[in-house]
Amino acid sequence: MKAVVCRSPGDLVLEDRPAPGAPPPGWALVAVSHVGICGTDYHIFEGKHPFLAYPRVMGHEVSGTVIEIGEGVGLALGEPVVINPYLSCGTCIACRKDKPNCCVSIEVLGVHRDGAMCEEILVPQQNLYPANGLSLADAAAVEFLAIGAHAVRRARAEPGARTLVIGAGPIGLGTAIFARIAGLDVTLLDMSTERLAFAGAELGFPTLDGSRGAVPDLVKEATDGEGFDVVFDATGNTQSVQSAFAHVAHGGTLVLVSVVKDDISFSDPEFHKREMTLIGSRNALRADFDHVAASIRNGAVPLEKLVTHRTRLPGTPRYLARWAHEKSGLIKAVIEVGS
């Protein structure tokens, strides 16, 4: 089969690889249809991912069609599916608490093991969700949106809560969209005037432009000096995460959607006097995938505006390398693999 392989940082090629073969019991063979390109994929290509072994087939935002099933698999041949790329052990403390998204031994397709920038892939049955009427193109967007949907569910905020989403990239926009679906009063903050213009004009969000003034002053002005009830940080930037504590109102909540490699420090007196709640959010659960799929079906998610760039599998080495550096106008890029 054809596969796009990152052989080493900066070296991305289309090559022939052996097909996966027949699925073992409990697994299915999926013909890949569409793959979204994530920030993680760009980091892998650029050599910025700290725990990755090359060569690697990337790709974890995936839709496809079941073409062969192993013993005990209840899916039908020809079933269109969304792939949950988080492979869990099923036995650790997190899995026993129904939190496979933070499994102790989690393996993410395209990161810890080869992913779906290829024609076929083997996947455990429990990681395959019927698309239930979604087009395969739309189904490939479910995973990246589920990250934000999960973060919003973790926040447990009441409708109407004054909410700040920091970071207007794909994950931040997804978080903002699902916060709005949950009835929260959402504002987006970013340092990019271009991204904020998109969020305002195309998605209808109020925005704060961090490049045009001191962010603490902008937050105070937007909230009458009180701060936001809920703050989501989706930047992946250490300084942004540390600054976000100051944007939270007394009695409010800070949700860390993105992860940074560095230690995070904050003022304990400021944290305590606010009686702030600090929440980490990782990956997503089946309930989040289902919520996203239902929201796409009912028209609450403007996917036609979020997917801005497209290519096919043979063009991926050239275009992924370009999009890693040319970000203007780019929100979400998708690879069409199937015919």
Side-chain angles (χ1 to χ4, degrees), residues 31-51:
V32 177
S33 176
H34 291 75
V35 184
I37 302 177
C38 175
T40 299
D41 300 319
Y42 296 120
H43 289 158
I44 292 170
F45 171 72
E46 294 172 319
K48 296 178 181 178
H49 199 288
F51 306 113

Side-chain angles (χ1 to χ4, degrees), residues 95-302:
C95 289
R96 297 197 306 271
K97 293 179 178 179
D98 295 323
K99 290 179 68 69
N101 59 306
C102 59
C103 169
V104 172
S105 304
I106 197 167
E107 289 189 304
V108 180
L109 295 177
V111 180
H112 306 103
R113 60 164 65 197
D114 282 342
M117 288 188 190
C118 57
E119 293 178 314
E120 297 178 357
I121 189 169
L122 288 169
V123 184
Q125 175 181 229
Q126 64 265 26
N127 290 77
L128 296 173
Y129 306 152
N132 290 333
L134 283 185
S135 71
L136 286 168
D138 288 353
V142 171
E143 189 274 340
F144 96 84
L145 291 167
I147 301 294
H150 183 70
V152 171
R153 192 159 61 90
R154 292 273 289 148
R156 298 182 179 180
E158 295 292 330
R162 195 157 47 188
T163 301
L164 180 67
V165 177
I166 309 172
I171 299 301
L173 292 174
T175 302
I177 288 168
F178 280 89
R180 182 165 61 189
I181 289 171
L184 309 187
D185 180 11
V186 184
T187 298
L188 269 162
L189 166 66
D190 202 279
M191 303 298 288
S192 168
T193 301
E194 179 184 347
R195 284 188 169 183
L196 291 176
F198 173 86
E202 299 296 330
L203 303 180
F205 287 109
T207 62
L208 298 177
D209 188 342
S211 71
R212 296 187 174 180
V215 172
D217 293 338
L218 297 175
V219 168
K220 288 178 182 177
E221 183 179 352
T223 62
D224 298 321
E226 292 184 331
F228 286 90
D229 302 314
V230 187
V231 176
F232 297 91
D233 191 286
T235 63
N237 179 278
T238 302
Q239 183 176 349
S240 175
V241 172
Q242 294 185 157
S243 299
F245 285 81
H247 308 331
V248 181
H250 282 239
T253 299
L254 173 59
V255 184
L256 304 184
V257 188
S258 58
V259 63
V260 299
K261 293 186 293 182
D262 305 308
D263 292 340
I264 298 298
S265 61
F266 57 91
S267 167
D268 187 59
E270 289 293 325
F271 178 78
H272 267 84
K273 80 178 186 182
R274 286 169 165 80
E275 198 179 51
M276 189 190 304
T277 300
L278 177 62
I279 297 174
S281 183
R282 186 182 186 193
N283 298 327
L285 292 167
R286 174 68 185 265
D288 307 304
F289 279 76
D290 290 345
H291 177 38
V292 170
S295 299
I296 294 173
R297 286 189 210 98
N298 68 25
V301 181

